[in-house]
Amino acid sequence: MKILLVDDDPRLRELVRIALERAGWQVVTAADGQEALLHASRELPDFIVLDIGLPELDGFEVCRRIRQRSEVPILFLTARDDEVDCILGLELGADDYVTKPFSPRELVARIRTILKRSQKAQAPTALTHGELSLDPQAHRCQITGQDVSLTAREQGILLLLLQDPSRIRSRGELITQIWGAGSQVSDRTLDSHLRNLRAKLEQAGASDLIETVHAVGIRLRALR
C-alpha cells in the first residue's frame, strides 16, 4: 500500500516516514499543499496522512480539492487540540485525525483501524433499500441510478444501517462499530459524518432517509 505523508516539519516527516515503512507501507512525502496535490494526482496513493498547518495551501484546502475527485482515506494531523479544526476537517471529508504530539505507533494503529474498517465494509454483497443500493465491494452507492460519492466512514455508517433498516442503532453502537471499541470519538465527530451523509443522500433525492429517534438512536426510513 502506498501512503502520501504531508507535513512541513522535516524532522517529524522523517520520523513518521520511517515508522510507516517499518509497518510495511510504501511512503511518498510532501512538504506543502501544492506538492501534496501534485503527488496525490501522480502517485494515486491508497491513504493520505495530511497536516493541517501547511504552507502554500493548508490541509483543509488540500482535502477539499482531493475530495472533488477521490475518496481515498485521509487522516489529518493537527498541532492544536482544537475541536473546531477537527470537526471542520471531518466536514470536508477526512476519515479521522490525530493531535500532535503523537507517537508513531499511535499513528500506525489509527491507519490500520481505518483500513480494517474499510476492508470490512467491502466484504458484504450489495444491499438495497427501496431505490437505494450500496455495493461495498465496488464502493458504489446509488439512488434511483444516480451515483452518490461516499467516504469510507460514510459508507460504513450507511452499510450498518442497511444491514437491518428497521433497527434503531444507538450512538454508542455506531461509534463502536465504525471506529472500534474503546475509541475516543466524540458525538460531535459522529454528527459531522452523519450530517455529510444526510446532505449527500438528500442531494440525490433521498431526503430524510436517516431518521433520528429522540434519545434512542438512528435508523432508516422507508424510501419514498
Side-chain angles (χ1 to χ4, degrees), residues 130-166:
E131 296 299 321
L132 168 67
S133 67
L134 177 65
D135 184 346
Q137 290 184 323
H139 197 86
R140 188 175 192 183
C141 176
Q142 290 188 318
I143 295 176
T144 60
Q146 177 182 345
D147 286 329
V148 182
S149 179
L150 302 178
T151 67
R153 295 289 192 201
E154 292 161 2
Q155 175 174 291
I157 293 171
L158 185 57
L159 177 61
L160 189 61
L161 295 174
L162 279 169
Q163 288 171 353
D164 191 350
S166 63

Side-chain angles (χ1 to χ4, degrees), residues 35-108:
E35 189 180 7
L37 290 175
L38 182 63
H39 283 319
S41 177
R42 289 183 177 177
E43 301 289 343
L44 299 178
D46 303 294
F47 197 101
I48 298 177
V49 178
L50 178 61
D51 185 32
I52 291 179
L54 293 172
E56 303 296 332
L57 295 173
D58 66 21
F60 294 137
E61 180 62 18
V62 173
C63 179
R64 187 186 68 79
R65 295 191 188 186
I66 290 174
R67 278 290 173 260
Q68 290 175 349
R69 62 177 187 270
S70 171
E71 296 302 326
V72 58
I74 296 175
L75 185 148
F76 266 130
L77 303 179
T78 173
R80 296 173 295 171
D81 189 9
D82 189 335
E83 193 172 24
V84 173
D85 274 359
C86 298
I87 295 299
L88 178 56
L90 296 174
E91 294 279 2
L92 290 171
D95 294 277
D96 207 346
Y97 60 87
V98 171
T99 303
K100 298 178 183 178
F102 57 86
S103 73
R105 291 179 63 183
E106 176 192 2
L107 181 62
V108 169

Side-chain angles (χ1 to χ4, degrees), residues 163-204:
Q163 288 171 353
D164 191 350
S166 63
R167 177 180 169 185
I168 301 174
R169 306 276 185 172
S170 70
R171 302 175 72 81
E173 180 184 2
L174 285 167
I175 289 174
T176 298
Q177 291 293 326
I178 303 302
W179 280 270
S183 64
Q184 300 300 310
V185 172
S186 68
D187 283 353
R188 289 189 64 183
T189 297
L190 175 61
D191 287 340
S192 177
H193 286 288
L194 283 170
R195 187 160 49 248
N196 284 348
L197 178 56
R198 281 186 166 114
K200 291 178 179 181
L201 295 174
E202 181 176 359
Q203 188 175 16

